[in-house]
Every structure is written in C-alpha cells, then in structure tokens.
Amino acid sequence: MDSLSSGSLTSSQKDELMEQIRQQIAVANAQELLTKMTEKCFKKCINKPGTTLDSSEQKCVAMCMDRYMDTFNLVSKAYSDRLQRERNRM
C-alpha cells in the first residue's frame, strides 16, 4: 500500500501535495482562459480566415484580448473579495 492510500503522509508532504495541486489547477485555468479568449476573439474579429491577418483584424484581436483580460481580472477580483468577506464572517 502506498503512502497516499494508507493516509501516512506527513504534514509537510500534504502541504507539498496541495501546492502541486494548486499549481496544476492554476495552469488548467490559464489554459482554459486562453482557449476561451482565443475562440471568442476569433469569432468576433476574423470574418474571412486566411494565412494572414489584416491590420483591422490585428487591432480587433488585440483590443478584444485586452478587454477580455480586463474583464476576467475584474471578475476574479470581485470573486476573491467576496470569498474573503465570507471567510471573515465565519
């Protein structure tokens, strides 16, 4: 039986495992954010897909991605603030 299934992890090992899981979740969230942002901005800005982007498409994609990131950061901050308030109530 390994140490995970036997429950014999030390506190330090548990902390390290939790940190690794947090990092994996952060990477997965970043990948999902990038995928969603790419999909949405592509649909919004690219009318005729080709081998290159014209200047208006480049500008649209850049602005779309900036707005998407600004919105994501705003929502993330609001969510984080709300979680903090909820924790303080307990």
Side-chain angles (χ1 to χ4, degrees):
M1 195 170 355
D2 65 16
S3 59
L4 270 179
S5 60
S6 68
S8 63
L9 291 175
T10 66
S11 178
S12 168
Q13 289 172 323
K14 288 177 185 176
D15 290 345
E16 184 178 332
L17 182 59
M18 287 302 294
E19 183 56 32
Q20 289 174 356
I21 291 169
R22 282 187 198 101
Q23 288 174 2
Q24 290 174 353
I25 290 170
V27 168
N29 286 339
Q31 289 172 331
E32 183 176 352
L33 171 65
L34 185 58
T35 298
K36 286 189 182 291
M37 183 171 52
T38 301
E39 289 172 0
K40 290 186 182 300
C41 292
F42 184 88
K43 285 180 185 176
K44 177 179 175 20
C45 298
I46 312 301
N47 297 320
K48 296 178 186 174
T51 57
T52 61
L53 298 176
D54 65 30
S55 62
S56 65
E57 289 171 329
Q58 289 178 15
K59 186 176 180 178
C60 180
V61 168
M63 291 179 70
C64 177
M65 293 178 88
D66 285 345
R67 283 193 308 269
Y68 199 94
M69 286 303 299
D70 288 345
T71 302
F72 176 82
N73 289 333
L74 182 67
V75 170
S76 294
K77 181 171 181 353
Y79 180 71
S80 178
D81 290 348
R82 183 174 179 178
L83 284 177
Q84 189 62 44
R85 284 193 309 272
E86 293 295 322
R87 284 186 191 131
N88 289 341
R89 287 185 196 168
M90 294 179 173

